[in-house]
Amino acid sequence: MKKDHQSIVAKVIGVKSVSTNELQPNPHNPRILFDKQPLGILQDSINRVGILVPLTVYWDLRKKHYVILDGQRRWVCAQKIGLSKVPVNQVEEPSLVQNIVTMFQIHKLREDWELMPTALKVELLMSEINDRNDARLAELTGLDEAVVSRCKKLISYDNEFQDMMLDPDPSKRMKADFFIELYSVIHDRDVVKFEWFSQKKFIKQMLDKYLVEPRTLKAVTDFRLIKQHITNARRIRAEKVFSGRLKKFAEERETPLEYLEIDEANVRADAKAIVKKLNAIEEIINDLDTEKYYGEEELWNSIKQLIKILEEKLQKANKRR
């Protein structure tokens, strides 16, 4: 049973000035990672001209302090500068769902958050409203449906891997894109059936190949190539052969990505691509108005040359009738 989404945003009470010490960060803020360099730029700006945009806050009746819905970075900078008061826009104390949705709505037009913290709040929101539909979640949060889908992929990973994306040090933090691109490989319908396959172990092996020099996974988009190799192998029913290659690729860090290529599978894929192009040429020639282009000798000479080349290829392949 889905919960009613009416009155999903907390009502505004008004603007005023409050003590900086009365404010507390929001425990449900989807944005929990604040890197030092952007904070330094904001701090310099506030030091020169003050806080121009009031923070959005609510009064926590139980804990007796203001909680920040929007403006945690401004608040952190105000503390460092030593501002005793900050301007706030107070709203009514929200429910948990209102809290999360309000922050999503406030931030949706600004610089993107790191995706893993966002995913955790999408997960909490799904639990609270008992709804996993991408379109409805996108409408509620203001996120694109594609972002909601990526968030759902991230929350499928164990806490161990989620923590890697939540490291407060940007230089140590794993990008969410790594796990998003890996997702299609570790959930492939054939890969999950391979006798040797262990998802958690495989993820760690891929991390080693991506992080440890000399790296044999040089970009997160390499997982798309792996997925393509899986698909190519499937087309020629070479799943067993590919399983052995993928096992070696995972277990031996020095084994390159090229090892996953199965020549026969690549030939089949190339042939299908050529057929598509030939079909397009065939369609063009079939639709050619001979009277309209009667005097275009360059066109007819090109067609003659194409026929000659095709006949030569057919003869070499022993395919001529």
Side-chain angles (χ1 to χ4, degrees):
M1 190 80 180
K2 295 180 177 63
K3 297 183 181 178
D4 189 0
H5 293 177
Q6 290 183 350
S7 303
I8 208 70
V9 178
K11 293 180 181 178
V12 175
I13 294 176
V15 178
K16 58 184 175 182
S17 183
V18 302
S19 171
T20 306
N21 295 331
E22 286 187 85
L23 297 170
Q24 293 293 325
N26 194 325
H28 300 298
N29 190 348
R31 188 179 191 182
I32 62 174
L33 300 172
F34 300 98
D35 296 341
K36 290 181 179 179
Q37 185 176 359
L39 273 179
I41 295 170
L42 179 60
Q43 184 175 321
D44 288 342
S45 174
I46 292 174
N47 202 21
R48 284 186 287 106
V49 299
I51 295 176
L52 301 179
V53 180
L55 289 68
T56 302
V57 304
Y58 67 87
W59 179 255
D60 189 319
L61 290 172
R62 187 169 58 86
K63 296 183 179 179
K64 305 300 180 186
H65 60 230
Y66 289 102
V67 178
I68 302 169
L69 278 174
D70 174 44
Q72 186 169 333
R73 293 169 73 245
R74 279 166 274 161
W75 174 64
V76 169
C77 292
Q79 286 180 308
K80 290 184 176 182
I81 294 169
L83 295 182
S84 59
K85 288 183 176 290
V86 293
V88 301
N89 188 20
Q90 186 180 350
V91 299
E92 288 183 353
E93 183 172 3
S95 67
L96 177 57
V97 172
Q98 285 177 325
N99 191 329
I100 297 171
V101 169
T102 297
M103 287 186 293
F104 273 125
Q105 295 293 339
I106 285 170
H107 288 278
K108 67 182 179 181
L109 297 178
R110 300 191 193 166
E111 183 182 351
D112 289 343
W113 297 322
E114 287 282 347
L115 198 55
M116 189 63 241
T118 305
L120 293 176
K121 295 309 167 186
V122 170
E123 180 180 31
L124 182 56
L125 186 60
M126 288 191 299
S127 174
E128 283 296 307
I129 66 175
N130 192 26
D131 194 345
R132 295 184 60 86
N133 181 270
D134 287 4
R136 287 191 291 270
L137 288 167
E139 184 179 0
L140 197 57
T141 60
L143 300 172
D144 290 339
E145 279 190 55
V147 175
V148 172
S149 176
R150 290 196 287 271
C151 285
K152 289 165 76 172
K153 289 177 180 178
L154 293 182
I155 60 180
S156 72
Y157 284 91
D158 288 349
N159 290 343
E160 175 183 359
F161 303 117
Q162 291 184 11
D163 288 345
M164 296 177 70
M165 292 178 270
L166 296 170
D167 196 304
D169 185 345
S171 66
K172 297 178 182 177
R173 190 184 308 151
M174 275 298 297
K175 289 294 185 183
D177 285 350
F178 176 91
F179 295 97
I180 290 168
E181 296 287 353
L182 174 60
Y183 184 91
S184 64
V185 175
I186 61 176
H187 290 278
D188 180 84
R189 67 177 186 267
D190 287 321
V191 171
V192 296
K193 294 176 186 176
F194 293 159
E195 194 174 297
W196 57 269
F197 180 76
S198 162
Q199 187 180 102
K200 192 169 185 177
K201 182 179 178 182
F202 186 83
I203 293 169
K204 290 182 176 180
Q205 289 168 330
M206 294 303 102
L207 282 165
D208 280 346
K209 292 178 79 73
Y210 182 72
L211 295 173
V212 181
E213 297 290 350
R215 299 190 304 153
T216 44
L217 281 174
K218 294 181 171 57
V220 297
T221 50
D222 284 349
F223 291 121
R224 299 180 192 180
L225 293 174
I226 295 175
K227 181 67 175 176
Q228 185 61 58
H229 291 320
I230 297 170
T231 302
N232 291 345
R234 186 180 291 133
R235 283 174 179 158
I236 63 168
R237 298 181 180 179
E239 293 92 339
K240 188 173 181 180
V241 173
F242 185 81
S243 173
R245 293 200 175 203
L246 186 62
K247 183 174 186 288
K248 181 177 179 180
F249 175 76
E251 292 178 349
E252 299 178 6
R253 190 167 53 79
E254 67 278 7
T255 300
L257 186 61
E258 291 74 21
Y259 178 73
L260 296 177
E261 294 179 8
I262 298 175
D263 289 341
E264 187 181 350
N266 287 337
V267 168
R268 176 70 61 86
D270 289 344
K272 289 176 77 70
I274 293 170
V275 167
K276 288 182 75 173
K277 292 177 181 179
L278 288 173
N279 285 340
I281 294 172
E282 181 182 344
E283 188 175 339
I284 291 170
I285 293 175
N286 274 335
D287 293 340
L288 192 65
D289 186 332
T290 53
E291 290 187 7
K292 180 179 179 181
Y293 295 101
Y294 181 79
E296 297 294 333
E297 291 303 315
E298 185 179 0
L299 171 63
W300 301 114
N301 288 335
S302 292
I303 292 175
K304 289 177 185 177
Q305 182 64 22
L306 177 60
I307 293 171
K308 180 182 176 183
I309 292 171
L310 290 173
E311 287 178 341
E312 288 175 355
K313 295 297 179 183
L314 287 169
Q315 187 171 1
K316 285 182 180 179
N318 197 26
K319 298 294 182 179
R320 294 188 67 179
R321 290 182 180 180

